[in-house]
Amino acid sequence: MSEIILEIKNVSKSYGGVIANQNISINVPKGKITGLIGPNGSGKSTLFGSVVGNHPINSGTIKYKGKEISHMRVGEIARLGLLRTFQQTRIYGEMDGVKNMLISRPIRHHNLMPSFHRPHKDDYEKANSLLDFVGLSSKKHLLAGSLSFGQQKLLEFAMALMNEPEMLLLDEPTAGINPTLINGLIDRLKAANEEFGVTLFVIEHNMRVIMNLAEEIHVLANGKLLSSGSPEEIQNDPRVIEAYLGGH
Amino acid sequence: MRTWQTNIATLVILVFFLVAPFLFPNNMSQLSDLMIFILIALAWDMLGGQMGYNSFGNVLFFGIGMYIVASSEVILGGFKLAEYTSAMGGNQGSFILTPSQYLIGFGVGIALASIINFFLGLLIGSQFLQMRGHYFAITTLAIGVAAAEVARSIPIIGAGSGMNFPQPPDGVPLFHILYYMGLALVVLFFIFLSWLYKTRFGFIMNAIRDDEDKAESMGLPTASIKSTAWAISAFVFAYAGALYGSAKNFIDPSEVAFPFTTIGVWMILMAIMGGMGTIWGPIIGAIVFQIFKELFWTYLFGWQRVALGLLIVIIVVFFPDGIMGAFNNWKKRRNLQNTAKAKT
């Protein structure tokens, strides 16, 4: 059995009277690709937000590499090597692709002194190589804000990889990406997992993508964990089919 | 512009500034004000233009710097501050400094003012920079207003009556000293910022401006970068305030020390006029602003503020990215045209 890198145990999160996550327990194995699916409003992004410290949880525990992180701040969690990307892309729009990448180099401490250095040649090489990896080499000198939504998604993914995370939470990585490019993106996600050893935890609405990508999938519905299993098991689970298609 | 062209232009401007007191000996007050304006425009742009934190509160450090240097001149001149301020208006003749006392008091005061405000900036920044957007801007505006009121209630610095600087002794070319001290920090600060904006620190400042939440979620030390930038800015504002107060020779709490309706607005206007978020923009903005301000104050007296307001409206409407922004946009268009021509 694989080592568990992220342990979510009995996590609940509510906003006023709206329960977004209720008593959710999920284990994410290290070095694997794990999927998280569910209809709109089922609480997937809220759960990601709870894991990376965007908001406090009401109850339960979240452990990353055995360390309790549920009360840590966003930056502290990121410095542990646990990052997320967003449904709506978050890039630095007024800078070009290369600068977006250089900014994303990892910082694992509070010491400011290394910040007073110019980027090294190695940093440029790594930035260029990752931009090439996601297919953005020809766009690297354009302002990030002028890229298409799909290209911004790819840039955001490359920025995350530049940060050398051990685990990456991807929120709908293929949303807004041209269907002809999706196969390429699946390959890149798999390569990031295999070549860079990044554990991926992926929210995805495109069933073809997630079934192709993930080794294990968890399904949320109405804020609760509905089902967990391999892609085959999930595809054949009547509760999942009902949650997606409605109980008629 | 290519690097060598930029370097030559920089050198020409520097030489011009070095000889300006010889070219315009009757305008030393305006020239020293120009150096002060360049300093505060650069220091404001560091926060507002490069980091996206639009602050009105920098006048706090400007005013404190002024009070520190005046107090230093008095104390190192061998007088008691309370006696000096209470005697103001009637008995200035008793408080005459020798040139060396004056210069030592001025030098020590300006160094103390800058260093103290740097640490004060760190302290205040760690608290106020947790706020963002309009909340941050309004809070800093309140700081400037409150500072003037607090200064009005402190008798040892003259309270509401203000505080005179000790008279410069005969033979001390005050405005030349102020001008060249201003120019020295302009040059050093320009070199420092040119370097800083190319480091990771500068990149993270830009990241905070573009999307602070994203920067935080990537583990970047946003809080310490913001506080440090604010403290560096405070250092420069205190230095500039010390020069400005010395030039005016009198500190009125709200009109000179914490003047948020003049300096507090001008520092932003100069950066906007020149082009926010660029290294040359605040410098060009300060030069243009100072030239027009002096022209309007000289030839349109009575209407000078109306004319200044109109100038600002014209620049904001026709050059929304400032003068440097318009120049950069023109360069981009020209490059695109050249590329298109080369292809055909």
Side-chain angles (χ1 to χ4, degrees):
Chain A
M1 176 139 179
S2 297
E3 181 189 344
I4 300 301
I5 190 167
L6 180 71
E7 184 186 350
I8 300 168
K9 198 170 179 183
N10 301 324
V11 165
S12 295
K13 172 67 188 171
S14 60
Y15 298 101
V18 180
I19 298 169
N21 291 147
Q22 191 176 357
N23 223 24
I24 291 175
S25 295
I26 290 173
N27 286 336
V28 178
K30 186 175 180 182
K32 309 279 185 191
I33 301 178
T34 303
L36 183 64
I37 63 172
N40 287 329
S42 58
K44 305 181 296 295
S45 293
T46 301
L47 186 64
F48 268 24
S50 299
V51 170
V52 298
N54 286 142
H55 45 242
I57 55 174
N58 299 115
S59 60
T61 57
I62 301 171
K63 287 184 180 175
Y64 174 67
K65 294 201 293 184
K67 182 183 173 85
E68 171 76 77
I69 59 168
S70 41
H71 300 293
M72 289 171 70
R73 301 170 76 131
V74 176
E76 291 171 322
I77 293 171
R79 284 190 282 274
L80 294 174
L82 172 56
L83 293 188
R84 79 170 287 189
T85 65
F86 295 85
Q87 241 174 59
Q88 296 299 319
T89 53
R90 306 290 288 267
I91 41 97
Y92 309 119
E94 296 296 314
M95 301 175 229
D96 67 16
V98 175
K99 199 167 167 186
N100 268 271
M101 296 295 288
L102 294 172
I103 289 171
S104 304
R105 283 159 54 221
I107 290 181
R108 299 280 185 255
H109 44 71
H110 285 287
N111 183 4
L112 267 189
M113 287 317 289
S115 303
F116 291 107
H117 292 292
R118 289 186 182 198
H120 296 286
K121 191 180 162 203
D122 294 350
D123 300 320
Y124 281 100
E125 281 173 5
K126 189 171 178 197
N128 286 326
S129 129
L130 282 171
L131 284 168
D132 191 36
F133 175 73
V134 297
L136 286 179
S137 278
S138 60
K139 312 275 183 189
K140 65 184 178 185
H141 292 306
L142 296 180
L143 285 186
S146 70
L147 298 175
S148 71
F149 183 75
Q151 289 165 340
Q152 289 185 10
K153 280 249 169 195
L154 291 168
L155 176 61
E156 192 182 21
F157 177 51
M159 287 161 69
L161 293 179
M162 187 79 182
N163 201 274
E164 299 171 6
E166 280 188 70
M167 181 171 183
L168 188 52
L169 278 55
L170 298 165
D171 200 342
E172 298 190 38
T174 66
I177 292 192
N178 186 326
T180 56
L181 296 177
I182 286 182
N183 285 342
L185 180 63
I186 293 173
D187 292 341
R188 284 171 189 127
L189 291 173
K190 282 182 174 172
N193 172 247
E194 287 163 11
E195 290 172 27
F196 306 135
V198 184
T199 302
L200 299 180
F201 191 19
V202 185
I203 292 176
E204 186 54 66
H205 278 298
N206 186 326
M207 287 302 126
R208 184 179 70 82
V209 171
I210 199 70
M211 295 301 162
N212 190 315
L213 201 60
E215 294 171 56
E216 188 180 9
I217 296 173
H218 302 277
V219 187
L220 297 188
N222 298 320
K224 295 178 187 166
L225 184 64
L226 185 71
S227 178
S228 298
S230 67
E232 292 75 25
E233 287 167 337
I234 293 299
Q235 275 176 307
N236 297 317
D237 188 330
R239 293 173 301 167
V240 176
I241 296 166
E242 188 182 326
Y244 268 94
L245 299 178
H248 302 291
Chain B
M1 226 186 289
R2 291 189 190 92
T3 309
W4 68 268
Q5 289 169 312
T6 313
N7 290 344
I8 288 175
T10 309
L11 197 64
V12 169
I13 292 170
L14 178 61
V15 170
F16 174 77
F17 279 144
L18 282 171
V19 301
F22 302 100
L23 299 175
F24 309 103
N26 299 325
N27 298 94
M28 285 313 297
S29 166
Q30 289 87 346
L31 284 174
S32 62
D33 275 358
L34 174 60
M35 289 303 118
I36 291 162
F37 289 169
I38 292 175
L39 283 175
I40 62 174
L42 279 171
W44 184 87
D45 187 67
M46 190 181 173
L47 304 174
Q50 298 286 346
M51 209 168 70
Y53 270 76
N54 297 318
S55 163
F56 294 96
N58 309 66
V59 288
L60 173 73
F61 309 111
F62 191 77
I64 293 176
M66 205 175 286
Y67 277 113
I68 289 176
V69 82
S71 304
S72 165
E73 286 174 14
V74 173
I75 293 165
L76 292 179
F79 304 111
K80 289 187 175 161
L81 191 58
E83 283 176 17
Y84 176 83
T85 48
S86 65
M88 276 300 95
N91 197 18
Q92 276 179 278
S94 311
F95 299 97
I96 303 297
L97 303 183
T98 64
S100 63
Q101 281 176 328
Y102 182 85
L103 293 174
I104 289 170
F106 176 72
V108 170
I110 205 164
L112 273 178
S114 306
I115 292 165
I116 289 172
N117 277 281
F118 177 86
F119 289 105
L120 184 66
L122 272 183
L123 190 70
I124 293 176
S126 64
Q127 299 305 312
F128 287 109
L129 288 161
Q130 290 175 18
M131 281 176 273
R132 295 190 190 173
H134 304 311
Y135 299 102
F136 175 78
I138 295 294
T139 303
T140 56
L141 181 65
I143 292 174
V145 178
E149 292 307 313
V150 170
R152 283 179 187 285
S153 66
I154 303 175
I156 200 166
I157 54 169
S161 304
M163 181 176 178
N164 279 302
F165 273 73
Q167 284 299 315
D170 290 340
V172 172
L174 180 65
F175 282 106
H176 282 78
I177 292 172
L178 298 179
Y179 175 80
Y180 281 110
M181 284 195 71
L183 179 60
L185 191 63
V186 165
V187 171
L188 289 175
F189 195 40
F190 178 81
I191 293 168
F192 172 76
L193 290 180
S194 302
W195 163 78
L196 187 75
Y197 294 159
K198 287 180 183 138
T199 65
R200 185 117 197 262
F201 188 100
F203 287 9
I204 296 174
M205 285 170 66
N206 294 162
I208 290 168
R209 175 192 64 198
D210 283 7
D211 189 339
E212 187 171 349
D213 288 332
K214 171 70 178 178
E216 229 170 82
S217 76
M218 295 292 279
L220 303 180
T222 53
S224 41
I225 293 276
K226 286 190 294 183
S227 295
T228 308
W230 175 260
I232 294 168
S233 172
F235 179 100
V236 175
F237 264 93
Y239 188 102
L243 298 183
Y244 191 73
S246 302
K248 304 303 164 206
N249 212 29
F250 174 71
I251 307 177
D252 177 271
S254 52
E255 296 297 321
V256 180
F258 308 104
F260 64 92
T261 54
T262 52
I263 294 288
V265 176
W266 293 349
M267 63 188 181
I268 302 169
L269 288 179
M270 289 185 286
I272 292 174
M273 281 169 70
M276 281 169 64
T278 62
I279 185 81
W280 279 103
I283 298 174
I284 292 168
I287 295 170
V288 171
F289 178 84
Q290 174 66 341
I291 290 170
F292 278 97
K293 185 172 87 63
E294 289 303 321
L295 287 174
F296 293 157
W297 257 249
T298 306
Y299 297 108
L300 297 173
F301 193 71
W303 290 88
Q304 75 275 23
R305 289 184 192 278
V306 176
L308 196 62
L310 271 176
L311 174 73
I312 291 158
V313 170
I314 288 168
I315 287 186
V316 170
V317 169
F318 292 102
F319 306 99
D321 298 324
I323 297 166
M324 274 308 290
F327 176 69
N328 288 335
N329 291 338
W330 169 78
K331 262 196 327 182
K332 275 180 204 161
R333 276 200 305 275
R334 194 189 59 172
N335 288 343
L336 282 174
Q337 282 167 357
N338 289 344
T339 313
K341 272 183 197 165
K343 280 181 182 171
T344 54

